[in-house]
């Protein structure tokens, strides 16, 4: 059976990336839209065969509870709205896929987890790289010991932020700057590649506060994570240059990915340098997104926990909070 998804937020990601992916899914289909723009919603509904009765707006959102076609609500909204729509969806009796970063604070993440638990509904975070073939291959090879004992992880993620009025550059809507939006890929990868949880962080932020884009949020932040095994992860995110790279250094070789976490075109080398380009084994879905969507559907159908549940989003946000604190107080912060 295919589970029915309602997409909340018809923006760059919800409309541009997620909606076209249902055609690649085996267990997931698009059945409803939630948008503040009725003209756009009607056009998208017609294009994707969504009935007009299944178009909702932010005011009548809660009436999704009366629509049995909707099994899952996929929250593709600015970060400050993730908690509200996740909690309202759970209260309407729906499972939830929520985009990354999970929320603007760990307190909100905890409330989201509690609401889904109380409603007996699944909560998964949109960490698509856990379904991306190159990332899965890299992780498999690292765990199989192909590069020996892992000593060092490095990742830089950035893009050039444009419009100063974008919600991404408003602290109240984004919760923070490049770290929240794109640095979270480096942070999450440091955790899934090492299979360890960091015990301490140290961070340094540098931002040109005269740049109209960066009045409220950081541009560049460098953060170091200490892992129990002795591995150090050195990560950086920025809003003033394009960069997308993951590197694992072991005592017998390296795993290098550039780009590492893009929508497509990711590349993976394993060995001493970049001479051995790897073709990864196929991921779980035809694309990283269909793998991600169908994973949640199968978890619902088989009553299993998603591999990237709300708790995974919460772990990252707790570390993000420690990173910001470290940068602010200019000191190492021990975790737990
Ligand atoms: P976007 O600005 O393109 O879209 C946001 C949508 O929310 C728009 O349709 C907008 O109309 C709607 N919205 C409703 N209320 C709003 C308000 N008060 N202010 C602003 N917009 C409002 O953003 P996006 O790039 O689609 O990002 C949406 C979410 O998806 C974010 O959480 C982002 O981090 C995430 N995202 C994830 C990936 C990924 O690869 N997993 C990629 C891009 C974005």
């Amino acid at each position: 059976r295919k589970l029915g998804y309602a997409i909340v937020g018809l923006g760059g990601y919800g409309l541009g990336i997620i909606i076209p992916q249902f055609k690649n899914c085996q267990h997931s289909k698009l059945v409803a839209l939630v948008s503040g723009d009725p003209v756009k919603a009607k056009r998208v509904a017609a294009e994707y065969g969504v009935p007009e009765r299944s178009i909702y707006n932010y005011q009548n959102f809660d009436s999704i509870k009366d629509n049995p076609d909707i099994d899952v609500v996929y929250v593709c909204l600015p970060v400050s709205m993730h908690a509200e729509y996740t909690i309202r969806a759970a209260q309407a009796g729906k499972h939830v896929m929520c985009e990354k970063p999970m929320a603007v604070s760990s307190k909100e993440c905890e409330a989201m987890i509690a609401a889904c638990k109380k409603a007996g509904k699944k909560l998964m975070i949109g960490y698509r790289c856990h379904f991306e073939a190159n990332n899965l291959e890299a992780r498999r090879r690292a765990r199989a010991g192909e590069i020996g004992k892992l000593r060092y992880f490095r990742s830089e993620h950035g893009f050039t932020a444009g419009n100063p009025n974008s919600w991404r550059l408003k602290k109240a809507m984004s919760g923070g700057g490049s770290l929240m939006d794109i640095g979270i890929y480096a942070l999450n990868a440091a955790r899934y590649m090492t299979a360890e949880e960091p015990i301490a962080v140290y961070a340094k932020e540098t931002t040109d506060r005269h740049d109209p884009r960066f009045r409220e949020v950081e541009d560049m932040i460098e953060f170091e994570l200490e892992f129990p095994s002795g591995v150090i992860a050195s990560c950086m995110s920025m809003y003033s240059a394009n960069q997308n790279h993951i590197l694992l250094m072991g005592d017998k070789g390296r795993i290098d990915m550039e780009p590492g976490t893009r929508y497509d075109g990711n590349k993976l080398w394993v060995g001493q340098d970049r001479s051995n380009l790897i073709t990864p084994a196929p991921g779980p879905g035809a694309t990283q997104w269909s793998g991600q969507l169908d994973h949640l559907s199968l978890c619902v159908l088989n009553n299993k926990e998603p591999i990237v549940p709300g708790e995974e989003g919460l772990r990252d946000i707790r570390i993000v909070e420690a990173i910001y604190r470290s940068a602010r107080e200019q000191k190492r912060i021990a975790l737990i």
Side-chain angles (χ1 to χ4, degrees):
R1 162 164 114 84
K2 284 192 173 186
L3 294 198
Y5 281 69
I7 302 294
V8 191
L10 304 181
Y13 200 62
L15 176 58
I17 302 296
I18 295 300
I19 288 179
Q21 285 296 326
F22 285 98
K23 66 173 182 299
N24 297 319
C25 291
Q26 291 178 22
H27 305 288
S28 319
K29 62 182 178 186
L30 177 67
V31 297
L33 303 171
V34 184
S35 170
D37 179 342
V39 176
K40 187 201 257 181
K42 218 169 152 175
R43 175 175 59 74
V44 176
E47 187 179 344
Y48 288 95
V50 172
E52 278 199 30
R53 64 180 155 76
S54 293
I55 299 176
Y56 297 85
N57 57 44
Y58 299 108
Q59 286 71 45
N60 67 15
F61 174 77
D62 305 286
S63 60
I64 60 168
K65 71 173 187 309
D66 302 318
N67 188 337
D69 295 346
I70 303 172
D71 300 290
V72 182
V73 167
Y74 195 149
V75 181
C76 296
L77 292 166
V79 186
S80 62
M81 300 172 79
H82 289 185
E84 177 185 346
Y85 283 88
T86 294
I87 291 167
R88 284 170 71 180
Q91 286 170 349
K94 308 300 179 185
H95 303 280
V96 182
M97 178 89 80
C98 177
E99 257 318 309
K100 52 49 65 181
M102 184 172 172
V104 299
S105 68
S106 54
K107 210 167 153 233
E108 282 193 354
C109 298
E110 285 161 5
M112 293 158 80
I113 292 168
C116 291
K117 237 172 220 142
K118 188 171 172 210
K121 298 292 153 188
K122 308 285 180 206
L123 171 57
M124 175 166 156
I125 308 304
Y127 284 123
R128 59 181 168 75
C129 295
H130 290 249
F131 305 90
E132 196 275 331
N134 286 281
N135 279 270
L136 293 175
E137 182 79 24
R139 186 175 68 175
R140 187 185 68 70
R141 287 172 181 253
R143 303 231 174 126
E146 282 194 24
I147 58 168
K149 184 172 161 48
L150 184 63
R151 295 296 297 131
Y152 181 72
F153 172 97
R154 164 142 211 106
S155 181
E156 314 93 47
H157 273 74
F159 67 88
T160 307
N163 178 3
N165 298 317
S166 152
W167 65 262
R168 281 188 169 76
L169 301 174
K170 303 284 169 213
K171 180 131 195 282
M173 298 218 74
S174 58
S178 68
L179 172 60
M180 283 290 276
D181 192 68
I182 184 110
I184 198 144
Y185 286 94
L187 167 58
N188 197 251
R191 294 178 46 246
Y192 64 73
M193 289 296 185
T194 60
E196 290 190 76
E197 293 299 328
I199 51 175
V201 302
Y202 181 79
K204 175 90 190 152
E205 184 217 311
T206 153
T207 301
D208 176 1
R209 295 288 172 183
H210 299 295
D211 186 321
R213 296 173 298 172
F214 305 128
R215 296 233 163 90
E216 298 187 19
V217 300
E218 83 280 0
D219 170 15
M220 183 164 99
I221 188 158
E222 165 94 23
F223 56 98
E224 202 173 270
L225 309 170
E226 295 171 26
F227 288 97
S229 66
V231 169
I232 287 179
S234 175
C235 305
M236 182 276 281
S237 66
M238 53 157 61
Y239 268 159
S240 51
N242 293 313
Q243 175 73 341
N244 191 303
H245 179 222
I246 293 174
L247 175 70
L248 287 78
M249 287 173 63
D251 60 6
K252 294 196 172 61
R254 43 201 274 163
I255 291 175
D256 199 357
M257 305 176 73
E258 188 168 16
T261 63
R262 288 235 166 98
Y263 292 164
D264 46 37
N266 292 325
K267 283 203 175 78
L268 165 67
W269 297 269
V270 180
Q272 300 305 318
D273 50 30
R274 288 189 173 184
S275 54
N276 182 27
L277 180 68
I278 303 291
T279 302
T287 65
Q288 53 185 316
W289 300 278
S290 65
Q292 175 191 316
L293 288 159
D294 280 345
H295 176 70
L296 178 56
S297 299
L298 287 170
C299 285
V300 169
L301 289 167
N302 302 322
N303 195 21
K304 295 242 165 69
E305 268 313 289
I307 58 170
V308 277
E311 286 79 0
E312 176 73 5
L314 168 62
R315 267 179 222 120
D316 276 348
I317 296 300
R318 282 193 177 136
I319 300 166
V320 162
E321 287 172 343
I323 292 169
Y324 281 136
R325 193 175 140 216
S326 172
R328 222 173 28 243
E329 298 178 5
Q330 302 202 3
K331 64 176 195 207
R332 174 184 179 272
I333 305 286
L335 297 161
I336 331 164

